[in-house]
């Protein structure tokens, strides 16, 4: 069974906590997790949320100060413990 979710990685822990609070305020299930090694820059923490919530996450990110977001990523973990991290690319109109 593969586990798949999204993360938002930031340069500061303050922004991680603020983004998690904003997501939860919109009713999005979110949590703070350790940033996967594949995203080796930043403060070491990221906000985890479901892939189905990417549009709402992007909407909230536009309201936050720019320059602190490292990126949005999808994370897939398989039964063997392998983790694959891919950047979420911007789509026109989103």
């Amino acid at each position: 069974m593969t586990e798949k979710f999204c993360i938002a990685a930031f340069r500061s822990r303050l922004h991680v906590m603020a983004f998690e609070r904003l997501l939860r305020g919109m009713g999005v299930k979110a949590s703070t997790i350790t940033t996967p090694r594949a995203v080796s820059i930043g403060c070491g923490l990221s906000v985890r949320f479901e892939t189905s919530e990417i549009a709402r996450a992007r909407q909230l990110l536009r309201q936050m100060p720019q320059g602190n977001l490292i990126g949005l990523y999808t994370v897939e973990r398989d039964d063997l413990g392998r983790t694959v991290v891919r950047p979420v690319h911007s789509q026109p109109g989103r």
Side-chain angles (χ1 to χ4, degrees):
M1 182 175 164
T2 300
E3 177 184 28
K4 186 174 180 178
F5 56 91
C6 286
I7 63 167
F10 293 89
R11 288 183 172 79
S12 80
R13 292 174 181 232
L14 177 67
H15 289 93
V16 168
M17 300 303 177
F19 186 61
E20 179 185 5
R21 203 169 30 253
L22 284 171
L23 283 173
R24 287 181 176 205
M26 286 187 72
V28 174
K29 183 179 174 185
S31 60
T32 300
I33 65 167
T34 302
T35 303
R37 284 187 197 183
V39 183
S40 61
I41 55 176
C43 68
L45 295 177
S46 293
V47 179
R48 176 186 169 150
F49 55 95
E50 297 300 318
T51 56
S52 61
E53 300 290 359
I54 192 73
R56 289 208 285 183
R58 283 186 171 139
Q59 177 186 1
L60 287 173
L61 287 169
R62 285 192 283 273
Q63 299 172 19
M64 294 185 69
Q66 300 302 305
N68 291 301
L69 177 70
I70 293 168
L72 293 173
Y73 301 88
T74 58
V75 179
E76 292 184 56
R77 293 184 181 148
D78 66 17
D79 290 340
L80 301 175
R82 293 178 291 210
T83 301
V84 176
V85 180
R86 293 184 181 94
V88 174
H89 298 288
S90 296
Q91 297 174 358
R94 292 194 179 206

